[in-house]
Amino acid sequence: MDIKVEVKGADGFKRAIKEIEKKFPDEVIKILDEKATQLEGYIKDNSETQGIVNSGKLAESYKHTPPQKKSGEFATTVDSNVPYAHLIEEGHELVLYSPKKKNHGKAHRLGRVKGFFPVENGIDKLNDTYDEDIRKWVYDLLDKNLNW
């Protein structure tokens, strides 16, 4: 049994997005930059809300690369330069190494520290409104610059 689903208007919307990328690359870079900056703010806020900010070094470390066109698509990356960021994000195991004389220098597992997931929570918060924001941006841009 074959099921065929046809969404009217979806092809037109995809064409409109491709047309915007071609005609207005500066606008695409601008919106990506805004969204990446917004994500940095969400990550910082989530870190502060969960109480994982001691010195503020981790919360302030999330920065994004300038949006660029790579393999036909515009992309930007939000990353942290703090070496322990992944430990806070994903959690980690606590290990105590005893002196070599006692217990032959073996590791003792003390437990696991839970992950706080500030990046994942920030992405979830951004995704809550992302589709609607992009749709509104596309229609506003088309209304301003193209004759319908």
Side-chain angles (χ1 to χ4, degrees), residues 79-94:
D79 201 3
S80 174
N81 59 0
V82 175
Y84 54 86
H86 67 285
L87 300 173
I88 301 297
E89 179 70 25
E90 300 166 359
H92 57 279
E93 195 165 341
L94 286 176

Side-chain angles (χ1 to χ4, degrees), residues 42-133:
Y42 288 155
I43 293 169
K44 181 179 178 183
D45 292 345
N46 191 269
S47 296
E48 291 171 357
T49 302
Q50 292 190 54
I52 55 177
V53 176
N54 289 335
S55 67
K57 194 175 190 180
L58 176 66
E60 296 294 330
S61 71
Y62 289 97
K63 302 292 179 207
H64 68 277
T65 60
Q68 297 176 355
K69 192 168 190 171
K70 296 178 184 174
S71 54
E73 294 182 348
F74 286 94
T76 184
T77 305
V78 177
D79 201 3
S80 174
N81 59 0
V82 175
Y84 54 86
H86 67 285
L87 300 173
I88 301 297
E89 179 70 25
E90 300 166 359
H92 57 279
E93 195 165 341
L94 286 176
V95 179
L96 173 68
Y97 290 95
S98 60
K100 293 198 182 245
K101 291 180 185 176
K102 183 179 178 183
N103 214 4
H104 305 294
K106 293 184 179 176
H108 297 285
R109 310 246 184 271
L110 299 178
R112 180 143 183 91
V113 176
K114 73 177 182 88
F116 288 96
F117 309 105
V119 175
E120 188 175 317
N121 294 337
I123 290 170
D124 289 344
K125 189 170 181 180
L126 182 72
N127 284 340
D128 287 344
T129 60
Y130 187 81
D131 289 339
E132 187 59 36
D133 291 347

